[in-house]
Amino acid sequence: MAKEYDLVILGGGPGGYVAAIRAAQLGLSTALVEAQKLGGTCLHKGCIPSKALLKSAEVYATLKEDGESFGITAQGVGFDFQKVNQRKQKIVDQLHQGIRYLMKKNKIDVYHGYGRILGPSIFSPTAGTVSVEKAGGEENEMLVPKNLIIATGSKPRTLPGLEIDGTHVLTSDEALELESLPESMIIVGGGVIGIEWASLLSDFGVQVTVLEYAERILPQEDEAISKEMARLLKRRKVKVVTSAEVLPETLSVDKGQVAITAKRGDKEETYTADKMLVSVGRVPNTEDIGLENTDIKLEKGFIQVNAYGQTAESHIYAIGDVTGGLQLAHVASHEGIVAVEHIAGHDPAPVDPNHVPRCTYSRPEVASIGLTEEEAKAQGYQVKTGKFSFKGVGKALIQGDASGFVKVVMDANTQDLLGVHMIGPHVTDLISEAGLAKVLDATPWELSQIIHPHPTLSEAIGEAALAVEGLEIHS
């Protein structure tokens, strides 16, 4: 017997479960379909476990390298990777239980199984019937939604011809399951995920080589940020190789060692390590979910949507990684809220990419919002910038990490704030101040008028805003 709902959501990641909660708050009868565990990739194979590893690596590196500078003497500092993994899993399990509780609290029906769109039927002439396929031979369940949201997320991309064996050649999925660390690792890709792994592995003492196809690592960030990150990683003995075209056909595994050749200009060089991590982006999970039974349009595998997440089928929406754009957990969550409010007949503001903070949780951290200096100039803006180093911030010195800076980008003609870019301690926690400034359409002068408490890391934001006009105090 098919069960009817106002809304059915395929996928229980940060986009899907947040959308479900908002729908329940608005009084919509809601069902959530998830083939694996609630929380999705972010909770179980991405954001949370990787950041737990990063924190353990940071603590170890601080004690090992900087303990004496704090006046702390520690003998025989080491780490137990099994306990590191246990801590990681404990955090994941606690958050997983929290999401399960939220589903019960909000009276959301959760179906554990693989959801597939069967297309319009006598039960549902609009959004189509959804089949929930159960494991273990259980009978499929049929759901009839008035509206449907696709939030099936993404999976790691690989390079054509570069086979992932899960033992020597890994994606981030397999890397998170490592029971012990290798002595050396090649990381193919110097984007956000690649740099986070380079940071945590190097902090644990792994010899790391990063091979990046673009001219610089973190190519989506402001050029000054990329240069500073490369400098700081190299200081930590990470080998950073840019403009490197990896040749998949040269991959070999021999005697427990991975070897691959990369082309740089007219020269080729072979790199070897115990393992290789392929970190070259993610592809949407749109296969075998019944899209062929709809009029939904795809572009390069991604579902095409309007500003509210609505597809070519007016009663079917899509959010998060399956739509392309900024593949970030917080974007998926916000898109889920926008989609649900649009379904409910409200008038939500669409997600503005220029209001989305981007974070890299390496050591040091990177956080940014809005246009880079290069993007602003390419779009025809007359640009003024202000920059302030954390070396001039007392709290950074107190914490023992004064690396990095804050950079503010302004439209010289209108005084509008175009972007804020940070690299340094805890900047992923600081970026929301810049996010609020963007939402309120503030100018750097207005940002500088905030009274930042002393001593705090946030003082660097006010100083960088003053620096746009050359008025910084502590520089």
Side-chain angles (χ1 to χ4, degrees), residues 242-318:
T242 54
S243 301
E245 180 186 358
V246 169
L247 305 177
E249 67 274 13
T250 67
L251 174 66
S252 65
V253 179
D254 184 44
K255 296 179 180 179
Q257 288 274 296
V258 178
I260 197 161
T261 300
K263 185 177 181 181
R264 300 182 71 203
D266 297 329
K267 297 181 179 180
E268 294 184 358
E269 185 172 349
T270 299
Y271 302 88
T272 60
D274 292 336
K275 295 183 185 294
M276 183 167 72
L277 172 63
V278 180
S279 176
V280 291
R282 300 182 65 84
V283 294
N285 290 323
T286 53
E287 295 180 359
D288 199 30
I289 60 172
L291 295 186
E292 67 278 5
N293 298 320
T294 73
D295 291 328
I296 290 174
K297 294 179 173 58
L298 300 179
E299 183 175 333
K300 296 181 179 179
F302 294 101
I303 298 175
Q304 296 302 288
V305 296
N306 65 14
Y308 303 101
Q310 201 169 24
T311 70
E313 297 246 15
S314 62
H315 292 77
I316 303 180
Y317 291 67

Side-chain angles (χ1 to χ4, degrees), residues 340-412:
V340 166
E341 291 184 352
H342 193 258
I343 288 170
H346 294 210
D347 186 25
V351 176
D352 184 343
N354 279 320
H355 291 172
V356 175
R358 306 174 296 274
C359 298
T360 304
Y361 296 85
S362 48
R363 185 172 70 91
E365 294 182 346
V366 172
S368 59
I369 193 166
L371 300 178
T372 67
E373 180 179 355
E374 299 78 33
E375 289 170 337
K377 289 178 178 178
Q379 292 184 25
Y381 289 101
Q382 296 295 313
V383 171
K384 294 184 73 172
T385 65
K387 187 176 175 183
F388 192 81
S389 171
F390 279 105
K391 292 178 181 178
V393 177
K395 185 64 176 292
L397 296 171
I398 291 167
Q399 291 190 325
D401 184 3
S403 60
F405 55 83
V406 175
K407 179 178 178 179
V408 173
V409 181
M410 183 184 79
D411 181 347

Side-chain angles (χ1 to χ4, degrees), residues 385-388 460 462-475:
T385 65
K387 187 176 175 183
F388 192 81
E463 291 275 15
L466 286 169
V468 173
E469 301 292 355
L471 298 175
E472 66 272 27
I473 302 298
H474 293 93
S475 177

Side-chain angles (χ1 to χ4, degrees), residues 20-47:
I21 292 171
R22 185 66 183 121
Q25 289 173 343
L26 293 176
L28 303 179
S29 60
T30 304
L32 186 65
V33 182
E34 172 55 53
Q36 298 182 36
K37 291 183 177 181
L38 292 174
T41 293
C42 178
L43 177 54
H44 300 283
K45 296 182 179 180
C47 320

Side-chain angles (χ1 to χ4, degrees), residues 82-99:
Q82 182 178 357
K83 290 184 178 179
V84 168
N85 275 326
Q86 288 172 352
R87 177 180 184 270
K88 171 195 74 176
Q89 193 59 46
K90 183 178 180 181
I91 294 168
V92 170
D93 290 345
Q94 181 176 338
L95 292 171
H96 180 226
Q97 290 301 320
I99 296 172

